Amino acid sequence: MSFDQLHRYLFNQAHVRGELVRLENSYQSILDSYAYPPVIQKLLGELMAATSLLTATLKFEGDIALQLQSDGPVNYAVINGTHNQQLRGVARWDESLAELPDDFSQLFTKGILVITITPEDGERYQGMVALDKPTLAECIESYFQQSEQLATKVILRTQQTDSGAKACGMFLQILPTSSQATATGDTGFEHLAKLTETIKNEELFSLPAEDILYRLYHQEEIEVYPPADIIFKCSCSRERSANALAAVQKEELLDIVATEGAIKMNCQYCHREYRFDEIDVHAIHAGTFAMDTQSDQ
């Protein structure tokens, strides 16, 4: 069965594009990086599926980040995705709370969803919308309606079992080039959205992607593109950490080593730790830090 893949398709007789994403190993990799409570696990799964779906809409090489910010129980959650479906993410919440609310809207106070698109060549774009809807999916739909005036349908679901976690998502959107059809209401979008809403969890999590699309759209003419593989991949490295330390005064770094025995740098996404001792500090500031002679701790 095709998990950790994104499937894109186009309705040939309508002005609508669609996507289906299903995550397992890539999702589990994020959950394995930290002891997230179940509510945060669910939130990260939905956010990860949503990021994959939105990344697939990019028409250039670059990346996209979906970030949730608030003054409530969940302070921060973000998933970054590249144009080739490499995802990573992290969440921060009030860990002093004995229990987090199950309801999405109660997780956030003055919450906002920030979507940042960063092309490798070109200007960065950022848009935002309030987290004032009952679900993350509805907040994303609201974002597209407000920022681009594009009718959009988003379905985000997660499943937690003894064998592991899975996250799935579906995405329908009027093609941006179909402005004439949108003006006349002849897009086919509402009909296709209602079909998509009939998907059951047991179908989404257990059937092959091809069977899901057939069950939903067997009376429609759709063109399905080759699937894209999805992986969890963090861009952190010992070299990047060393480069960051090069910007700090050597004396300050040596003081930390003298006090704590080593400098410890932790990646916020994968929680991997990189350690640097006194010899490393001198090498970094002398420009002779040799990556091939160093091992990650």
Side-chain angles (χ1 to χ4, degrees), residues 70-112:
S70 98
D71 297 332
V74 176
N75 315 119
Y76 175 83
V78 63
I79 298 289
N80 287 87
T82 66
H83 64 275
N84 53 358
Q85 294 294 323
Q86 296 178 358
L87 305 179
R88 61 177 184 161
V90 69
R92 299 282 182 264
W93 72 99
D94 186 353
E95 297 191 44
S96 69
L97 297 175
E99 188 174 351
L100 290 170
D102 291 329
D103 186 80
F104 174 82
S105 60
Q106 294 180 8
L107 293 172
F108 308 96
T109 302
K110 299 179 181 178
I112 58 171

Side-chain angles (χ1 to χ4, degrees), residues 21-33:
V21 65
R22 294 167 351 136
L23 309 170
E24 186 172 18
N25 293 335
S26 55
Y27 176 31
Q28 191 64 50
S29 294
I30 287 183
L31 301 187
D32 289 343
S33 69

Side-chain angles (χ1 to χ4, degrees), residues 7-278:
H7 304 262
R8 296 170 52 245
Y9 43 96
L10 183 68
F11 295 91
N12 290 331
Q13 296 180 332
H15 301 273
V16 179
R17 60 184 174 189
E19 298 169 19
L20 165 64
V21 65
R22 294 167 351 136
L23 309 170
E24 186 172 18
N25 293 335
S26 55
Y27 176 31
Q28 191 64 50
S29 294
I30 287 183
L31 301 187
D32 289 343
S33 69
Y34 199 74
Y36 292 114
V39 171
I40 301 297
Q41 292 183 21
K42 181 178 185 295
L43 179 64
L44 283 171
E46 292 187 359
L47 198 58
M48 192 175 187
T51 303
S52 175
L53 293 169
L54 268 60
T55 299
T57 67
L58 297 178
K59 295 180 174 60
F60 48 79
E61 293 187 356
D63 62 72
I64 189 169
L66 268 64
Q67 184 180 118
L68 310 179
Q69 303 174 8
S70 98
D71 297 332
V74 176
N75 315 119
Y76 175 83
V78 63
I79 298 289
N80 287 87
T82 66
H83 64 275
N84 53 358
Q85 294 294 323
Q86 296 178 358
L87 305 179
R88 61 177 184 161
V90 69
R92 299 282 182 264
W93 72 99
D94 186 353
E95 297 191 44
S96 69
L97 297 175
E99 188 174 351
L100 290 170
D102 291 329
D103 186 80
F104 174 82
S105 60
Q106 294 180 8
L107 293 172
F108 308 96
T109 302
K110 299 179 181 178
I112 58 171
L113 164 63
V114 182
I115 298 180
T116 305
I117 299 173
T118 308
E120 290 186 0
D121 297 311
E123 295 185 3
R124 182 184 185 194
Y125 170 80
Q126 191 171 77
M128 63 184 65
V129 68
L131 293 173
D132 56 0
K133 299 293 186 293
T135 66
L136 175 61
E138 290 171 278
C139 291
I140 295 172
E141 292 172 358
S142 177
Y143 167 83
F144 279 105
Q145 188 60 50
Q146 293 181 30
S147 65
E148 301 183 32
Q149 290 76 54
L150 292 175
T152 305
K153 181 65 185 176
V154 180
I155 291 175
L156 301 172
R157 297 177 188 173
T158 63
Q159 182 185 75
Q160 305 282 343
T161 67
D162 293 339
S163 60
K166 296 177 181 178
C168 297
M170 297 193 73
F171 179 89
L172 287 184
Q173 189 174 71
I174 292 177
L175 290 171
T177 56
S178 60
S179 56
Q180 181 177 357
T182 303
T184 63
D186 183 23
T187 65
F189 177 82
E190 292 299 330
H191 167 67
L192 295 173
K194 289 185 182 301
L195 290 179
T196 306
E197 289 172 354
T198 65
I199 188 68
K200 298 180 176 63
N201 277 4
E202 56 266 31
E203 296 172 327
L204 200 54
F205 288 106
S206 63
L207 292 179
E210 296 78 8
D211 290 356
I212 292 173
L213 296 181
Y214 179 78
R215 286 200 179 192
L216 289 175
Y217 312 123
H218 60 275
Q219 293 183 326
E220 310 297 325
E221 183 181 329
I222 65 173
E223 181 178 355
V224 181
Y225 299 98
D229 292 331
I230 301 168
I231 63 170
F232 168 81
K233 185 174 183 180
C234 189
S235 60
C236 75
S237 68
R238 184 172 171 81
E239 182 177 12
R240 284 194 170 194
S241 298
N243 289 338
L245 292 178
V248 182
Q249 291 291 328
K250 182 169 72 172
E251 292 73 18
E252 183 178 343
L253 297 178
L254 291 174
D255 286 343
I256 296 174
V257 173
T259 303
E260 302 182 11
I263 296 169
K264 302 175 184 178
M265 299 186 70
N266 291 279
C267 175
Q268 68 166 332
Y269 289 99
C270 67
H271 301 280
R272 189 173 188 179
E273 182 178 275
Y274 299 97
R275 297 168 63 93
F276 299 87
D277 59 19
E278 181 179 350

